[in-house]
Amino acid sequence: MQIEQIIAQKAAQAVAELWGTTVDESQLQLQKTKKEFEGELTLVVFPLLRISRKSPEDTANAIGAWLKENTDIVCAYNAVKGFLNLSIAAGAWCSLLNQVYTTEKWGFKQATPDSQLVMIEYSSPNTNKPLHLGHVRNNLLGKSLANIMEANGYNVVKTNIVNDRGIHICKSMLAWLKWGNGATPESTGKKGDHLIGDYYVAFDKHFKAEVKELLPADYDSLSEEQQEAAKAKAEAESPLMQEARAMLVKWEANDPEIRALWARMNEWVYAGFDETYKRLGISFDKIYYESQTYLEGKSKIMEGLEKELFFRKEDGSVWADLAENGLDQKLLIRKDGTSVYMTQDIGTAKLRFQDYPIDKMIYVVGNEQNYHFQVLSILLDRLGFKWGKDLVHFSYGMVELPEGKMKSREGTVVDADDLMDEMIATARETSDELGKLEGLSKEEADRIIEMIGMGALKYFILKVDARKNMTFNPKESIDFNGNTGPFIQYTYARIQSILRKAADQGLALPAEIGAMNSPLSDKEIALIQRLADFGTVVAEAAETYNPSAIANYSYDLAKEFNQFYHDYSVLKEENMELKNFRLVLSACVGKVLKLALSLLGIEVPQRM
C-alpha cells in the first residue's frame, strides 16, 4: 500500500475519533508538499472545517498531533493555514522502498483470463514501398501502447493490416513489367521492399511526363481554376494511369497472370518488411491482408445497399449519405466495381470481431485519417456492429526531418532501414569520441552501439506527445546529456557498474531492507517518491494512450538519480547502514528504469 493511501486511511480515522464524523478517505486531498515548506506530503484540511467547526490552523494541528501520536508513519508536522504538512518517518520510506525492491515488476498489473481484451492495429504498410520514417513513428507508438496496456493487466492482441491491393500496388507492378527487365532482389542485391519502391517512383516519373505532354499548349496562360481542370483531364487521359486502372480491374476479376505477378512481387516485399520489423523490435499476433478482407467489406456494403442504408449513383458507384451526421457523402464502391479503403476497413473489422472477443479496438493511424475513422465508426454502427461507436482512433501527428516533408511518389522519403543504419553509425561515432566502450570486445561493443542507436531513435520519437507533429533530428537524439535515450541508458549502466563494484568489495544486496536508524536526505526521499509513482504513471499512460508519459518519467527518474549520485557517495559511504540502503535504492532505480524503457521497446546495456 502506498504511503498516501495509509495516511488517507489514518487521517479519516483521526477525523472520526476527533469529531465523531465518518469521512470517505477518497474525499481527502493529499498532495506533495511545496518545496518551501518542511515535509513530504500535505493534507488539505479546508473541506474538513464544516466537520471540525474550528479554524483551519486548529483543525490541521489537531489532525497532525493525532497522526504523530497514533501512527509510526508521521514523525513531524506543521500547519500553514489550511494545509497540514507531514514529515514521513524514515522507516515508512524504507518500507515503501522495500515494496519496490521485492516486487519483480513494480508498477505492473498481471493480466488474467478474465481481463478485457484490447486489439491494437498498427503499422499498416503498403506493399508498393519500403517502411519509412512515418511508419517508424507508427510502429513505435503501436508497440509501446501495446506494452503499456499489457502492463495495466489487459489481454492484448497486436494486429496489422497490410494494404496489398489497390491502384498504388498496380502502379509498381506495371512499372516493373515495363522497365524492370526481370529484376529481382537476388539479381539486384536489393531488399525486396526497396526494389518495388523504386518502381513506384518510376511510375510517378513517367506518369508526370505523360501528363505534361497532354497539357494544352497555352496551359501557363490559363487561370488557376482552368489549369486544375486541364491537369485533371490530362491525368485521366494518361495511358499509363489507364493501364494501371485496367490492371486493378483484372486483379479484382482474379486474372491468373496478374495475380501470379502480384503474389511474386508481394513476397519480395514481405521478406524486406520482416527484416525491418526485426530490427525495430516489432511483432504482431495476427496479420490481416486487404486482399483477404475487401470482399467481406463489399459484401457488407451490398447488404447495406439492399437495406437502403446506402445509395447507388447513376454511374453505378455506391455511396453513404452522412448528412444526418453533419458530414458529406462517402464513396464506398467505385463505378467500375473496385473497392476503396473504407470497404476493406469494414471487412477487416468484421473478421477481427469474429476472430476475437474484443472489448476495445484501437487503430494507430496518423491524424490525416481523422475523418476516415470518424466515418468508419458511423458506418460500422449503421451496419449494426455494436462496437462501431466505441472504436478508438489513436491519432498522431506527422514526423518530418529538418529538411522538410517526405513524399513517397517522388522518392524523397527516408527509408526506415537507412534511418536505422544512420542512427547506429552516429552512435558508433559518438561512442568512439567519448571513449565509452574502450576495453570491450568488438562483439560486445557492436551490441551496445546498436542498443544506443536504436534506443536514441525510439526514445526521441516516443518522448513527444503523439498528437503533435514533430521533427526528428538524428544527431540531437544521440546525446549522453539531456532528455535522450542514451542519457537514460547511461544512467542504468552507471547503476550496474556501482552494483558490480559493490560485489567486488564483498557487499551483497540484502533480501530486503529493514527500518533505518540514520536519517534520510531530501534527495533520497525524493527518489523513493519518484519510484513509488511509477505504477500511477503506467496507469495514466494507458488511460490517456500516452507513451510520452513513460518516456518523460524515465528521464525525470534518471535525472533525479544523477543529482543524488553527484551529492552523495554510495560505495565510499562509511556508515554501513546508509551504504546498504543506497545500494538498494540504486538497484531499485535501475530496475524501474529498465521496466519503464521496456514499455518503450528500448533495451538497456549493462556497460556503457
Side-chain angles (χ1 to χ4, degrees):
M1 188 180 291
Q2 298 279 14
I3 286 175
E4 288 92 334
Q5 292 175 288
I6 298 171
I7 288 181
Q9 283 183 358
K10 295 296 183 182
Q13 189 179 338
V15 171
E17 290 193 15
L18 288 167
W19 299 297
T21 302
T22 302
V23 293
D24 189 330
E25 63 193 62
S26 64
Q27 296 176 314
L28 297 175
Q29 297 177 35
L30 274 168
Q31 57 195 34
K32 288 183 180 176
T33 302
K34 293 181 178 178
K35 291 182 179 178
E36 58 265 33
F37 300 111
E38 285 187 22
E40 291 82 45
L41 288 173
T42 297
L43 175 68
V44 182
V45 301
F46 290 112
L48 303 174
L49 300 184
R50 61 182 177 79
I51 296 172
S52 69
R53 299 186 182 277
K54 294 179 179 292
S55 70
E57 291 86 348
D58 288 346
T59 302
N61 279 314
I63 296 172
W66 190 97
L67 290 172
K68 185 179 178 184
E69 180 70 25
N70 294 280
T71 74
D72 56 3
I73 294 180
V74 176
C75 62
Y77 67 92
N78 65 87
V80 181
K81 297 183 179 179
F83 300 94
L84 174 61
N85 302 318
L86 303 170
S87 296
I88 309 302
W93 290 121
C94 289
S95 177
L96 179 55
L97 182 63
N98 203 49
Q99 289 182 52
V100 181
Y101 184 52
T102 58
T103 305
E104 183 182 358
K105 290 195 172 182
W106 172 255
F108 286 16
K109 295 175 185 172
Q110 187 69 40
T112 70
D114 296 326
S115 297
Q116 284 194 326
L117 190 146
V118 178
M119 177 176 276
I120 303 176
E121 175 195 293
Y122 56 99
S123 199
S124 308
N126 297 330
T127 56
N128 63 317
K129 57 189 175 184
L131 303 177
H132 56 61
L133 177 55
H135 289 113
V136 170
R137 190 178 198 191
N138 179 294
N139 279 284
L140 296 181
L141 286 169
K143 180 69 187 322
S144 180
L145 186 59
N147 292 342
I148 290 166
M149 298 304 280
E150 285 179 344
N152 278 277
Y154 291 97
N155 290 310
V156 175
V157 175
K158 297 169 290 185
T159 187
N160 185 4
I161 175 69
V162 178
N163 298 308
D164 63 342
R165 57 159 296 281
I167 190 66
H168 50 295
I169 310 298
C170 291
K171 289 176 182 178
S172 295
M173 290 166 60
L174 184 61
W176 184 85
L177 281 175
K178 286 181 173 293
W179 306 296
N181 298 315
T184 67
E186 292 75 22
S187 69
T188 60
K190 279 195 169 188
K191 282 179 75 222
D193 50 340
H194 287 262
L195 179 67
I196 300 307
D198 289 345
Y199 291 104
Y200 184 60
V201 173
F203 178 95
D204 190 63
K205 178 183 174 183
H206 286 84
F207 171 64
K208 282 182 175 176
E210 278 192 352
V211 169
K212 189 175 182 181
E213 289 296 319
L214 292 167
L215 292 174
D218 61 346
Y219 177 79
D220 290 337
S221 63
L222 298 176
S223 67
E224 187 175 334
E225 187 177 335
Q226 289 172 325
Q227 282 185 343
E228 284 183 13
K231 188 176 181 183
K233 183 173 182 291
E235 287 176 347
E237 291 175 353
S238 158
L240 202 55
M241 184 60 77
Q242 289 177 357
E243 279 187 81
R245 293 205 175 280
M247 180 179 279
L248 178 60
V249 172
K250 283 185 176 182
W251 184 93
E252 293 212 8
N254 275 315
D255 180 282
E257 190 175 333
I258 296 298
R259 284 282 181 144
L261 173 63
W262 166 80
R264 184 185 181 201
M265 293 176 70
N266 274 351
E267 285 303 317
W268 296 344
V269 173
Y270 296 147
F273 283 173
D274 286 347
E275 286 184 44
T276 307
Y277 284 140
K278 186 176 181 181
R279 290 184 75 187
L280 276 172
I282 300 299
S283 61
F284 306 98
D285 301 307
K286 175 79 173 182
I287 298 179
Y288 292 87
Y289 297 88
E290 186 180 339
S291 58
Q292 298 168 354
T293 66
Y294 83 102
L295 290 176
E296 293 284 350
K298 287 180 80 169
S299 172
K300 292 302 296 182
I301 297 300
M302 298 313 292
E303 185 182 307
L305 186 63
E306 290 176 13
K307 294 178 180 178
E308 298 184 348
L309 300 174
F310 311 126
F311 70 96
R312 191 187 292 277
K313 289 191 175 181
E314 290 182 4
D315 63 2
S317 58
V318 178
W319 295 72
D321 185 353
L322 304 173
E324 65 185 58
N325 304 101
L327 301 172
D328 53 10
Q329 297 178 349
K330 176 63 182 174
L331 174 67
L332 301 177
I333 297 178
R334 297 189 187 94
K335 63 182 179 182
D336 61 6
T338 56
S339 306
V340 295
Y341 277 127
M342 189 63 70
T343 319
Q344 69 91 4
D345 272 346
I346 290 170
T348 306
K350 176 190 170 186
L351 289 178
R352 283 173 174 162
F353 279 83
Q354 284 178 358
D355 293 344
Y356 296 93
I358 299 169
D359 295 296
K360 187 181 290 293
M361 180 71 220
I362 302 173
Y363 294 86
V364 181
V365 183
N367 58 17
E368 78 278 12
Q369 295 295 326
N370 286 351
Y371 172 77
H372 176 90
F373 283 96
Q374 183 184 4
V375 172
L376 177 62
S377 179
I378 292 168
L379 295 182
L380 289 172
D381 183 57
R382 187 179 292 187
L383 286 166
F385 295 113
K386 64 181 182 180
W387 33 265
K389 284 183 179 177
D390 298 325
L391 68 83
V392 176
H393 175 205
F394 180 88
S395 175
Y396 63 89
M398 295 298 96
V399 56
E400 300 173 5
L401 289 169
E403 295 79 22
K405 293 184 178 180
M406 305 176 294
K407 296 179 181 177
S408 298
R409 289 188 302 275
E410 297 176 8
T412 60
V413 300
V414 174
D415 292 327
D417 298 312
D418 295 339
L419 178 62
M420 288 187 283
D421 287 343
E422 181 181 346
M423 293 302 300
I424 291 169
T426 305
R428 186 181 303 280
E429 181 183 314
T430 306
S431 295
D432 287 347
E433 287 174 4
L434 298 175
K436 293 284 182 186
L437 304 178
E438 290 175 359
L440 297 180
S441 69
K442 184 179 184 306
E443 187 179 351
E444 280 182 302
D446 286 347
R447 181 75 186 101
I448 292 171
I449 284 166
E450 186 172 344
M451 282 189 197
I452 295 170
M454 295 306 296
L457 169 64
K458 293 176 181 182
Y459 185 84
F460 197 92
I461 285 177
L462 292 172
K463 75 176 182 179
V464 178
D465 185 330
R467 293 166 294 187
K468 296 179 180 178
N469 291 343
M470 67 170 292
T471 300
F472 177 72
N473 189 320
K475 293 201 179 295
E476 274 185 26
S477 70
I478 297 186
D479 187 340
F480 288 88
N481 298 296
N483 191 3
T484 66
F487 169 73
I488 301 168
Q489 289 173 315
Y490 180 69
T491 303
Y492 176 84
R494 165 180 270 177
I495 291 170
Q496 303 318 300
S497 175
I498 293 169
L499 298 177
R500 282 194 300 273
K501 288 176 182 176
D504 290 343
Q505 293 176 16
L507 293 171
L509 288 171
E512 59 179 46
I513 53 173
M516 289 279 292
N517 294 312
S518 306
L520 300 180
S521 69
D522 290 343
K523 282 189 166 60
E524 287 164 330
I525 289 171
L527 269 177
I528 297 172
Q529 282 183 301
R530 185 77 67 182
L531 291 168
D533 289 342
F534 184 51
T536 302
V537 173
V538 172
E540 288 177 356
E543 190 176 329
T544 57
Y545 309 119
N546 184 17
S548 69
I550 302 294
N552 291 306
Y553 170 86
S554 305
Y555 171 62
D556 289 341
L557 178 59
K559 184 171 62 173
E560 201 141 11
F561 176 81
N562 282 293
Q563 289 170 352
F564 154 75
Y565 187 69
H566 178 269
D567 293 347
Y568 295 92
S569 175
V570 177
L571 296 175
K572 292 181 180 179
E573 172 58 52
E574 293 181 0
N575 182 321
M576 283 304 296
E577 182 185 54
L578 266 180
K579 180 184 281 193
N580 284 323
F581 169 81
R582 288 173 184 171
L583 281 172
V584 170
L585 178 60
S586 301
C588 288
V589 172
K591 176 165 80 172
V592 172
L593 282 178
K594 184 175 182 178
L595 287 170
L597 290 182
S598 74
L599 295 179
L600 307 178
I602 297 173
E603 294 181 278
V604 286
Q606 296 296 312
R607 302 172 187 272
M608 195 166 152

